[in-house]
Amino acid sequence: MSSKLKKAVSELEKQFNVPLSEVKKIIKDFHGEMSRGLAGQKSSLKMIPTYVDKPSGGEKGKFLALDLGGTNFRILEVELRGRGQLTPVREKKLVLDKKYVSGKGENLFNFLAHCIKDFSKEPRSIGFTFSFPVKQTGIAEGRLLHWTKDFSAKGVVGKDVVRLLSEALLRSATYNKRIAALVNDTVGTLAAHAYHDEDCDVAVILGTGTNACYQEEVNNISKWRGPIYLSDRMIINIEWGGFNKLRSTPFDISLDNASENPGAQILEKMVSGMYLGEIVRFIIRGLINKKIIFKGKNIPIFNEPKGFIAEYISRIEADRSPGLLDVNAFLKNKGIRNSTGEEREALQKICHLVSKRGARISAAALAAVLTKIDPKLLRVHTVAVDGSLYEKHPNFAKNIRLTLQETFGRRALRVRMALAKDGSGRGAAIIAAIATSL
Ligand code: BGC
């Protein structure tokens, strides 16, 4: 590697490293923010009460579930058969057009209502997974606090999203559907996994966005002023993407300034799939501008916003061939014909540094949640995890596991990470079942 490139990479190594001492500091700060959030004090963790506990496994019936929170919108019909058994009956996935994501909110909800109408003519209760920060005021009631993940549909922030969807259903003359529950995707994932695994008390999403929820003692939620609530535990939606007690690099600051929501979702911007590619892009663009890599050439993937996406990081890190043949093929396809082996190695190393930092920060946050529930980790905990980053990135899941081992030693064996694919939709159906039985 040229000495300038070598020097730049070793500087980045220092900036993106998260040593064990920093993991421990994150855990401590995270605990502080969790407690303040639960007490209703100022905190970067919203710690939102969800008005629901884990399912018993006995819930039964046919329900519709909606899943809105990323590039796709899904509708599914689910049959709950009790004893932890569930059958997805039908499912439809629709790509959300940009005009709904950033246009008039009313159009977004009209679109959802039309999809529901087309999908089912039967009378059904609906579990509505809406994966954004919502201040719930009931099991089927909640106001959107702010958009994340580059959504910006107008006229929705501050409004009750269940009401917006119910009104759209009426506008589309759909009278036989009722929204029984409003659910965050983390909560849906927890419900879906806990339906058949009673050790499951935490769920994490690591995809376009990131967040987690867990089961808390109602006595510890000192801000809780809700109506009579039957269980002594409740699921808390942490909204951990908002955590802001983290050390930022100059690249994080540039990314934040250029984002739709500057100053917000600081952890999410260091961890989730929507942003990892952007961080790599900012780094490489800086090196290109200094003529340290790719002969200072102007290359679209590194020059255009969102030009370099998380899937590229996965592909680049997965290449184990000598000389990095697949990275070479990738770069050629993107217009960089004669990269050197050293440049490819540097690019791979940078992807690795950025994704590893994301994995270590999420592991630290997860360790904080686990020790909030069970300070000495005396019990087994299943953590249900969903999201493309966790599922598809070649090292992300492994790096989380390694960080937990470093932090907890042998006790890390008591933490079981379970991939809970597509849990959020099914979980919404389960929560709709709980809501209709109240
Ligand atoms: C949202 C969360 C959601 C997470 C994962 C974040 O941007 O604020 O509500 O759970 O993405 O989808």
Side-chain angles (χ1 to χ4, degrees):
M1 236 181 253
S2 81
S3 66
K4 274 192 180 163
L5 187 53
K6 220 184 222 160
K7 210 169 143 227
V9 172
S10 86
E11 182 54 34
L12 289 164
E13 223 162 339
K14 279 186 223 137
Q15 289 178 310
F16 282 83
N17 184 26
V18 185
L20 186 59
S21 55
E22 199 171 336
V23 168
K24 290 194 173 153
K25 180 168 183 319
I26 297 175
I27 297 176
K28 189 166 164 268
D29 290 343
F30 205 93
H31 280 158
E33 292 290 88
M34 286 180 99
S35 304
R36 282 186 285 278
L38 287 173
Q41 295 162 3
K42 193 167 180 299
S43 167
S44 63
L45 295 177
K46 294 189 174 74
M47 306 298 286
I48 300 170
T50 61
Y51 292 74
V52 75
D53 192 9
K54 287 189 338 186
S56 66
E59 293 76 9
K60 283 188 184 163
K62 277 192 180 171
F63 296 88
L64 284 191
L66 314 180
D67 197 351
L68 177 77
T71 34
N72 296 314
F73 167 60
R74 283 192 315 147
I75 310 188
L76 47 161
E77 187 172 21
V78 175
E79 180 169 8
L80 309 176
R81 290 184 285 127
R83 294 196 306 278
Q85 293 184 38
L86 169 161
T87 324
V89 181
R90 270 175 330 127
E91 174 170 346
K92 192 165 181 191
K93 203 176 189 170
L94 298 120
V95 177
L96 259 194
D97 199 293
K98 181 94 185 102
K99 68 176 187 244
Y100 299 125
V101 171
S102 52
K104 242 172 105 184
E106 196 177 309
N107 295 342
L108 168 68
F109 285 94
N110 283 344
F111 169 73
L112 303 186
H114 278 110
C115 295
I116 298 168
K117 187 172 188 176
D118 281 354
F119 185 79
S120 157
K121 305 284 173 248
E122 308 292 316
R124 288 275 182 268
S125 290
I126 297 179
F128 180 21
T129 302
F130 184 77
S131 306
F132 299 96
V134 163
K135 168 120 180 41
Q136 278 193 244
T137 39
I139 199 160
E141 209 180 86
R143 282 182 294 110
L144 174 64
L145 292 169
H146 56 85
W147 285 116
T148 58
K149 297 175 278 196
D150 279 0
F151 269 66
S152 60
K154 320 274 172 310
V156 187
V157 172
K159 303 260 173 66
D160 177 358
V161 292
V162 172
R163 187 162 180 180
L164 293 181
L165 182 56
S166 306
E167 287 169 358
L169 283 169
L170 293 182
R171 279 197 295 277
S172 74
T174 308
Y175 304 114
N176 61 358
K177 307 280 187 298
R178 190 178 72 87
I179 302 163
L182 175 62
V183 182
N184 184 264
D185 52 354
T186 54
V187 181
T189 302
L190 176 52
H193 206 82
Y195 192 59
H196 58 83
D197 174 353
E198 56 181 22
D199 291 329
C200 180
D201 50 9
V202 181
V204 176
I205 303 286
L206 287 161
T208 310
T210 185
N211 188 14
C213 71
Y214 73 107
Q215 192 190 31
E216 181 59 281
E217 313 264 338
V218 175
N219 284 338
N220 292 339
I221 315 171
S222 47
K223 67 180 171 187
W224 170 252
R225 300 276 179 278
I228 294 170
Y229 176 74
L230 296 177
S231 171
D232 48 14
R233 297 204 181 132
M234 186 187 286
I235 301 173
I236 293 287
N237 168 13
I238 303 174
E239 284 295 331
W240 83 10
F243 183 67
N244 64 6
K245 307 266 172 289
L246 294 166
R247 179 173 56 83
S248 300
T249 67
F251 309 101
D252 300 306
I253 296 169
S254 311
L255 180 145
D256 184 41
N257 288 337
S259 71
E260 289 268 351
N261 49 357
Q265 300 297 99
I266 299 298
L267 179 142
E268 183 157 272
K269 286 172 182 159
M270 295 186 186
V271 166
S272 83
M274 174 139 206
Y275 302 100
L276 289 186
E278 273 299 87
I279 303 175
V280 172
R281 188 177 77 81
F282 274 95
I283 298 174
I284 301 286
R285 197 182 61 179
L287 295 176
I288 292 179
N289 288 344
K290 289 188 195 145
K291 304 210 173 6
I292 296 180
I293 200 167
F294 304 139
K295 303 185 179 59
K297 266 204 208 134
N298 185 339
I299 304 151
I301 48 165
F302 297 120
N303 239 333
E304 283 159 15
K306 308 270 156 66
F308 195 86
I309 53 176
E311 281 81 350
Y312 298 166
I313 298 187
S314 293
R315 176 168 173 190
I316 289 169
E317 282 192 60
D319 189 355
R320 299 256 157 81
S321 67
L324 301 178
L325 299 181
D326 188 51
V327 176
N328 197 19
F330 166 81
L331 287 172
K332 277 198 169 141
N333 180 268
K334 302 292 175 201
I336 308 170
R337 268 183 204 89
N338 35 22
S339 63
T340 64
E342 292 178 343
E343 288 173 326
R344 296 196 287 276
E345 253 173 53
L347 174 63
Q348 188 179 56
K349 178 80 194 176
I350 289 166
C351 289
H352 188 63
L353 290 176
V354 171
S355 70
K356 188 170 174 191
R357 180 185 68 161
R360 288 182 71 81
I361 292 175
S362 23
L366 174 58
V369 177
L370 289 162
T371 46
K372 170 79 175 71
I373 307 174
D374 179 4
K376 297 213 158 85
L377 275 194
L378 299 174
R379 285 180 280 121
V380 166
H381 301 267
T382 305
V383 179
V385 197
D386 196 5
S388 47
L389 193 59
Y390 185 81
E391 193 194 348
K392 302 210 172 111
H393 183 281
N395 305 313
F396 211 89
K398 184 188 79 195
N399 282 330
I400 291 185
R401 164 93 3 242
L402 288 173
T403 312
L404 291 178
Q405 277 164 13
E406 253 177 71
T407 311
F408 294 135
R410 283 189 60 75
R411 285 174 306 149
L413 290 171
R414 301 198 184 127
V415 181
R416 285 196 307 238
M417 308 279 291
L419 180 67
K421 256 179 81 101
D422 296 336
S424 57
R426 295 165 196 211
I430 297 168
I431 296 176
I434 299 176
T436 46
S437 70
L438 290 177

